[in-house]
Amino acid sequence: MTAPPQQLLQLARRASTIGITSLTGWTSYKANTDPLHIFWDLDHTILCSVTPLPSDHTANIHNGDGEESSSSLLQPPTIHHFDQIDDDFPYTPLTVANTRTYFRPGAKVALWLCSKLGICHVYTAAQESYTMNILQELDPLREVFRGVVLHRTEYPRIVRDGKDLTVVMGGGNSNDDDNGGTSNDKKEPNDIRLERAILFDDKVSNFKPQKYENGVSVLPFSEERLNKCLSSTNKNSSSSSSSSIENYHNVMDNWTAYLQEVKEMARLVGISVWGTVHLSGDVRKVVDWVRKLNEDDNEV
């Protein structure tokens, strides 16, 4: 005898509730007992820096998220940005700033979410001064990036050899692979092991030290993509219908570009969630699946 549709719907709701509760509990358990270690690149992964300053530069400009970017309420939220001195480029003692840094749309929320799933680290080929400027703006209290900060000033070989995750592994953790990814030692929550480490970076060559097993390629947040997100509405246009239509299309293009960046950051959060809850406990299996999925997409 077939159950009435109403009963089937109630059963489906109960099953969904049980499934979501179980997944949430498992995620919380793994995040606290065996957290994922998430290493973040900076430039073109979660931000884009422009040097020299854009032509609309005003001294000490500082924008927050969600501020209105123009008189039109239809515009996407303002992209959080700030000005700084990047000493990789020319400047003088009188220079207020020579670089404007924009944070990728969705990056700040994504980083916060990932910090709840595991321990976030910085791994960048930038110099120390630039890296500290970024962290002071992005996470001054180090509530998100609770892990290590690796940069080329301290590890110059990053530029030549790529980003070796074993440089932050103490004891014998870096040799877990030799034992099939297991260890007889007790696993402490702050231990960094390759089976629980993932690197998000826009440059695939940086994954070479771990034979590309721990790295997830990120769509580069390039200056070209940044410019597509920024408002191009002609504020001085007339009220003609053709100008209104042009402005409408510009706003839609801005929104499309903005949401593409948010989508990419949401993808990285999803990968982090999956890496956290994967029953094998080995995030490299997730990375391998993501890589194969990307290869399939490229073939289509």
Side-chain angles (χ1 to χ4, degrees):
M1 183 174 181
T2 305
Q6 188 174 4
Q7 291 184 4
L8 291 176
L9 182 59
Q10 290 177 348
L11 289 173
R13 287 176 177 172
R14 290 176 183 174
S16 298
T17 301
I18 294 173
I20 293 173
T21 302
S22 299
L23 180 60
T24 302
W26 177 246
T27 303
S28 178
Y29 172 77
K30 291 293 290 184
N32 284 283
T33 61
D34 192 18
L36 200 63
H37 287 267
I38 309 170
F39 292 81
W40 292 91
D41 174 51
L42 295 181
D43 286 278
H44 293 172
T45 295
I46 63 172
L47 57 87
C48 177
S49 288
V50 180
T51 307
L53 287 170
S55 58
D56 64 343
H57 168 64
T58 55
N60 298 320
I61 188 167
H62 186 291
N63 276 84
D65 290 316
E67 294 181 2
E68 198 174 317
S69 56
S70 76
S71 58
S72 172
L73 294 178
L74 295 177
Q75 290 289 345
T78 298
I79 297 178
H80 183 106
H81 60 275
F82 75 105
D83 292 351
Q84 62 166 313
I85 291 180
D86 183 348
D87 53 23
D88 269 354
F89 297 92
Y91 72 98
T92 70
L94 299 179
T95 301
V96 175
N98 63 0
T99 299
R100 180 166 296 170
T101 298
Y102 295 83
F103 292 109
R104 192 172 201 161
K108 296 181 74 175
V109 174
L111 289 168
W112 181 84
L113 290 172
C114 287
S115 72
K116 304 304 178 184
L117 295 170
I119 300 174
C120 290
H121 311 265
V122 174
Y123 209 157
T124 176
Q127 74 277 27
E128 181 179 15
S129 59
Y130 176 86
T131 303
M132 293 302 109
N133 288 343
I134 300 296
L135 288 179
Q136 181 60 34
E137 178 70 19
L138 180 61
D139 185 29
L141 300 180
R142 296 292 294 273
E143 295 174 336
V144 172
F145 290 106
R146 295 178 290 120
V148 298
V149 176
L150 302 170
H151 45 73
R152 77 161 189 260
T153 304
E154 189 171 357
Y155 297 95
R157 65 181 185 181
I158 291 174
V159 178
R160 184 186 70 249
D161 300 333
K163 298 179 178 179
D164 186 357
L165 300 179
T166 64
V167 299
V168 294
M169 295 181 179
N173 290 335
S174 62
N175 296 320
D176 282 349
D177 282 344
D178 297 335
N179 298 319
T182 61
S183 173
N184 293 326
D185 297 330
K186 182 180 178 181
K187 297 177 181 178
E188 297 295 339
N190 291 327
D191 283 349
I192 302 177
R193 310 184 315 279
L194 287 179
E195 65 191 66
R196 300 300 291 164
I198 188 169
L199 169 62
F200 291 134
D201 201 310
D202 66 293
K203 292 184 178 179
V204 176
S205 59
N206 283 328
F207 306 149
K208 186 176 179 180
Q210 271 66 59
K211 301 178 181 179
Y212 307 94
E213 294 181 343
N214 293 77
V216 171
S217 178
V218 179
L219 287 175
F221 184 46
S222 61
E223 189 171 346
E224 179 183 0
R225 290 176 70 101
L226 166 65
N227 288 333
K228 290 180 179 180
C229 295
L230 298 176
S231 173
S232 58
T233 301
N234 183 1
K235 298 178 182 179
N236 298 320
S237 63
S238 65
S239 59
S240 66
S241 59
S242 60
S243 296
S244 298
I245 293 174
E246 181 181 354
N247 286 345
Y248 170 80
H249 286 299
N250 285 335
V251 170
M252 291 301 101
D253 289 343
N254 295 152
W255 267 111
T256 299
Y258 187 94
L259 293 176
Q260 285 294 328
E261 304 308 327
V262 173
K263 177 183 177 182
E264 178 64 4
M265 295 309 303
R267 182 179 75 95
L268 302 185
V269 174
I271 293 171
S272 299
V273 171
W274 193 10
T276 297
V277 303
H278 199 278
L279 293 178
S280 70
D282 193 339
V283 72
R284 292 170 295 188
K285 296 184 182 297
V286 174
V287 171
D288 183 59
W289 187 91
V290 171
R291 183 181 299 110
K292 291 178 180 177
L293 182 64
N294 290 340
E295 291 173 354
D296 291 341
D297 288 342
N298 292 333
E299 291 176 359
V300 175

